[in-house]
Amino acid sequence: MSNKFSVGLLAICLIWFSACHKQRTSKRNKNNPVADSTLTQATQPVIDSATTGTPENVAPVKINEIEFNYLTAKSKVSLASKSQNFDNTNVNIRMKKDSVIWLSITGVGLEVARGLITRDSIVFMDKIHRDYFVFSYEQLSKQYNFDLNFDLLQSMIIGNLPFEPQPEARFVKMNEFYVLKQIKDRLEVDNFISESTLKLSRLKAVEVPTQNAFSLDYEDFRDVNNFLFPFTSIINLNVKSLKDQQVRETNMRIRHTKVEMLNDSPGFPFSVPSSYKRKK
């Protein structure tokens, strides 16, 4: 895989800005394809009790979503895939709702990379190798054969619905979940809403016609500014490679250690030095 697209291995939020740096050192880990046993255990396929019952249509449900202007988080990210793996990478996150996601990766007390994700593009700056990358969602969606967008990335971090419910939205009841079924462009999306908390607890998206699949499970809900906030997100992506038609699985976990919601901007400093080279 080229360095250009190693930034976008999973093509989701925190992978874009960290994978490039890890890919360049991945040879040291090639004999240990899955470093984080906790991650692999958490993301192994399980029988989904929510899908074993017979669904029945129900009236629309008012979903509890997080409202904020700005947000900051200190997080640890782990990844396991065929070509890359890393465990508990330190990431600082700043967000302006529906607009900007700013990311800073630190190692041994120093910032090693910085990323800026907007609704139009993703820019990643590698401070170790003194270069940077610029991507569009169209590029990454094509490369990884899965339809990606800003709203899906934001949902990974905060646990809100990635797509607004439409007036004709269909809800069904499956055991302890209300399931909001949506069609968004090429994606068929099932949003599993907990009956007890009315919070999004699980999201499953399948792309038509490729059948590439994305799932997202939220855990460890805690109170932040009177909102239930998921402090752990577990992501699984299964896509068929356009090159060899083999299914590639990638698992990722985001664990927040601290989350704050703010009324004022925390700032989103991002400036690429003129000495940095843009990688193609």
Side-chain angles (χ1 to χ4, degrees):
M1 184 180 296
S2 68
N3 282 335
K4 172 182 178 181
F5 288 107
S6 63
V7 180
L9 173 64
L10 187 55
I12 327 174
C13 189
L14 304 174
I15 295 303
W16 285 333
F17 62 83
S18 59
C20 177
H21 174 65
K22 297 298 178 181
Q23 176 73 8
R24 284 164 165 161
T25 59
S26 63
K27 289 183 179 180
R28 289 178 293 183
N29 296 322
K30 65 182 180 179
N31 294 322
N32 182 21
V34 181
D36 184 358
S37 61
T38 303
L39 175 63
T40 53
Q41 291 170 7
T43 53
Q44 288 298 311
V46 296
I47 296 174
D48 181 8
S49 62
T51 62
T52 59
T54 301
E56 56 181 77
N57 292 324
V58 294
V61 173
K62 182 174 175 56
I63 302 167
N64 287 333
E65 301 223 276
I66 297 168
E67 297 293 338
F68 66 96
N69 293 321
Y70 299 95
L71 179 146
T72 63
K74 294 184 181 297
S75 312
K76 291 184 179 292
V77 178
S78 299
L79 174 81
S81 73
K82 181 178 180 180
S83 60
Q84 298 184 19
N85 64 85
F86 54 89
D87 185 21
N88 289 331
T89 297
N90 292 313
V91 180
N92 292 314
I93 302 171
R94 299 178 184 180
M95 296 179 61
K96 180 180 180 182
K97 189 172 185 286
D98 298 330
S99 179
V100 177
I101 303 173
W102 178 96
L103 312 131
S104 172
I105 307 167
T106 59
V108 198
L110 299 174
E111 184 181 51
V112 298
R114 187 176 293 189
L116 189 71
I117 301 174
T118 66
R119 301 200 72 87
D120 299 319
S121 64
I122 303 99
V123 184
F124 167 75
M125 180 167 53
D126 184 339
K127 291 192 170 185
I128 300 298
H129 299 91
R130 301 178 66 81
D131 51 31
Y132 71 101
F133 304 77
V134 181
F135 303 97
S136 69
Y137 293 102
E138 182 180 3
Q139 281 178 284
L140 291 172
S141 296
K142 182 178 180 180
Q143 176 67 14
Y144 295 103
N145 205 19
F146 192 85
D147 199 8
L148 298 154
N149 55 69
F150 180 92
D151 295 314
L152 192 57
L153 307 189
Q154 178 174 259
S155 178
M156 286 177 52
I157 300 172
I158 65 174
N160 282 353
L161 291 176
F163 309 114
E164 285 286 334
Q166 299 302 310
E168 67 277 10
R170 176 182 172 227
F171 284 82
V172 299
K173 184 69 168 59
M174 293 185 180
N175 296 338
E176 68 270 29
F177 294 99
Y178 299 106
V179 183
L180 168 60
K181 293 184 169 291
Q182 296 175 296
I183 296 177
K184 180 68 175 179
D185 299 326
R186 295 181 298 172
L187 296 178
E188 293 182 348
V189 183
D190 283 353
N191 304 274
F192 291 79
I193 313 302
S194 169
E195 183 179 15
S196 59
T197 64
L198 296 182
K199 286 289 300 180
L200 179 64
S201 297
R202 176 175 297 173
L203 181 145
K204 292 184 177 181
V206 176
E207 188 179 52
V208 179
T210 65
Q211 294 302 297
N212 291 332
F214 170 88
S215 68
L216 174 55
D217 287 85
Y218 300 102
E219 300 177 354
D220 190 18
F221 285 86
R222 307 183 199 175
D223 182 86
V224 179
N225 288 27
N226 295 318
F227 292 104
L228 279 179
F229 194 100
F231 271 63
T232 299
S233 300
I234 298 175
I235 301 102
N236 173 270
L237 181 66
N238 279 280
V239 299
K240 182 178 289 187
S241 170
L242 292 175
K243 184 177 181 180
D244 58 16
Q245 297 300 300
Q246 295 297 309
V247 175
R248 306 286 172 82
E249 180 176 9
T250 301
N251 296 315
M252 186 171 75
R253 182 188 62 216
I254 305 171
R255 280 197 305 211
H256 304 303
T257 57
K258 182 179 181 180
V259 175
E260 292 184 302
M261 297 179 190
L262 311 170
N263 290 322
D264 299 323
S265 173
F268 303 94
F270 195 92
S271 178
V272 179
S274 59
S275 61
Y276 279 37
K277 294 182 179 180
R278 178 170 176 174
K279 302 295 287 186
K280 299 296 184 180

